[in-house]
Amino acid sequence: MSGTKSGGHGDGADDPFQEATPSLLRQPKAVWATAGASVVAFMGIGLVDPILPSIARGLRATPSQVSLLFTSYFLITAVAMLITGFVSSRIGGRRTLLAGLALVVVFAALSGMSGSVGELVGFRAGWGLGNALFVSTSLAVIVGAATGGSTAAILLYESALGLGMACGPLLGAVLGDLKWRYPFFGTAALMAVGFLAVTAFLKEQPGPARKTGLLDPVRALGHGGLASAAASAFFYNYAFFTVLAFTPFVLDMSPYGSGGVFFAWGALLAVFSVLVAPRLQHRFGSLKVLGASLALFAVDLIVLGYGDHTTAIVCTVLSGALIGLNNTVFTELALGVSPVPRPVASAGYNFVRWFAAAAAPFLAPKIEEWTDVHLPFVIAAAAALTGAGIVAVRRRALTIGAEEPRPRHTAQDGATVVAG
């Protein structure tokens, strides 16, 4: 995607992120192998959702202790954003993908053999490192290998994200209903298949024009537009992962029940990411869509927190639609708002926002222990509104930033955006 003018005009004509959408189906085997492995990688994020209560019972742990499964995972993911570009620019995208897949296979299997919640939290941290190496490189590889340009690649990536987020809870429910350890073994097996597929079908792509330094992502945040996008995404991610990591305890359903709720949630996320968001962006502009979606997300969180059980289920499912919209727009902003190479820009962006994904799963149950079940959702709603406020206040930086010229780079520089 070239960085042209962004911004949210009524007809969307000046939105930089709207290109003709080519067919997603006519892609090389290497693209399908990488996208298939990406689905499984994203499944690992929501896999534990339906079995969080089961894990807590099986390991005699509290909700706040079990929620550390998300915290350790995403804390390592955030820090890993500083090294993924450094590594992939030196050993190549293919080897980075394979290294990430291998780590996930090992640590997912070890997670299934955990004897205590401390061990499980530690193994999830190793899993997070592997997932960061894989997922942060997968979009770059898909962009480099896909036919039809970056728009087709991004839509394919978002499709993998949505499918993985939808199927993860379902797989967790089916296997977790037998035993809470089985979803971890299932993920290890599927990622092993992904490792073999990538090994067989993906050839090494051309390297980047220059190697990425460890501090390049931090320096990239000196750009006002990218810093604004990262700050808004930070608060949004806090709200997002309050839903993902805390709501299963509030719903207090069987693995199948919780899995069904989050499957519907993930299905809406996929549909709105891939099909609805581009149309709304074209009509209203990216920033208007993002601001409105964040505000509606805040309302949904308040109703979820104060409604009865049925209302909470409905609001959880509906939040998937708003999260899908937000994921797509934030991804495109991170790719297009600054003039620095896309891997560097998105690594800096992800470095900031994943800290919120690490904080929310830990803080939400703690806040409930200190106060009541409503306040975690009130705080999450306030975070979503803060994200919308940053978009409104920093609108000019988010608009003008996309007009700046971007240094030339190879297809391997595609992007390093993770999970929206």
Side-chain angles (χ1 to χ4, degrees), residues 274-345:
V274 178
L275 301 178
V276 179
R279 288 169 171 78
L280 291 178
Q281 288 174 275
H282 180 73
R283 181 168 182 179
F284 300 107
S286 295
L287 299 186
K288 286 183 179 178
V289 171
L290 183 59
S293 182
L294 286 169
L296 289 173
F297 190 25
V299 174
D300 181 82
L301 285 164
I302 292 294
V303 178
L304 193 165
Y306 282 92
D308 58 21
H309 191 259
T310 301
T311 301
I313 291 174
V314 172
C315 287
T316 299
V317 173
L318 290 178
S319 72
L322 300 170
I323 288 169
L325 292 176
N326 293 329
N327 283 354
T328 294
V329 181
F330 271 122
T331 296
E332 294 177 344
L333 277 179
L335 289 177
V337 76
S338 74
V340 301
R342 288 177 179 134
V344 175

Side-chain angles (χ1 to χ4, degrees), residues 71-233:
T71 297
S72 64
Y73 182 93
F74 288 115
L75 185 61
I76 295 299
T77 297
V79 176
M81 287 299 105
L82 296 180
I83 68 168
T84 52
F86 178 87
V87 171
S88 64
S89 67
R90 284 161 175 78
I91 69 172
R94 182 178 182 272
R95 291 176 182 172
T96 305
L97 287 181
L98 292 175
L101 285 166
L103 285 171
V104 172
V105 170
V106 171
F107 282 103
L110 289 173
S111 295
M113 294 185 283
S114 299
S116 67
V117 70
E119 287 183 8
L120 184 53
V121 168
F123 292 142
R124 278 284 286 182
W127 187 342
L129 174 60
N131 221 45
L133 288 171
F134 174 78
V135 179
S136 66
T137 311
S138 61
L139 180 54
V141 170
I142 290 173
V143 167
T147 59
S150 60
T151 296
I154 289 172
L155 287 178
L156 189 61
Y157 180 83
E158 292 290 345
S159 299
L161 166 63
L163 186 60
M165 296 293 275
C167 292
L170 199 59
L171 178 67
V174 172
L175 297 180
D177 190 56
L178 301 173
K179 196 170 186 178
W180 69 261
R181 299 178 186 274
Y182 290 169
F184 298 109
F185 294 137
T187 300
L190 289 172
M191 285 304 249
V193 173
F195 182 94
L196 295 175
V198 171
T199 300
F201 297 117
L202 180 64
K203 297 179 180 179
E204 189 59 74
Q205 296 177 293
R210 72 177 185 86
K211 292 181 173 62
T212 301
L214 284 174
L215 294 181
D216 285 357
V218 177
R219 295 189 185 100
L221 293 169
H223 183 277
L226 182 62
S228 300
S232 180

Side-chain angles (χ1 to χ4, degrees), residues 346-409:
S346 56
Y349 158 82
N350 280 296
F351 174 69
V352 172
R353 75 188 185 103
W354 284 118
F355 279 109
F362 175 73
L363 290 177
K366 281 294 185 183
I367 292 169
E368 183 201 17
E369 291 173 10
W370 298 331
T371 57
D372 57 44
V373 73
H374 307 301
L375 192 58
F377 294 102
V378 173
I379 292 174
L385 285 177
T386 301
I390 292 172
V391 171
V393 172
R394 298 291 295 167
R395 187 181 193 86
R396 182 173 177 79
L398 291 169
T399 301
I400 294 178
E403 298 176 350
E404 300 174 11
R406 182 186 304 279
R408 295 184 63 184
H409 51 85

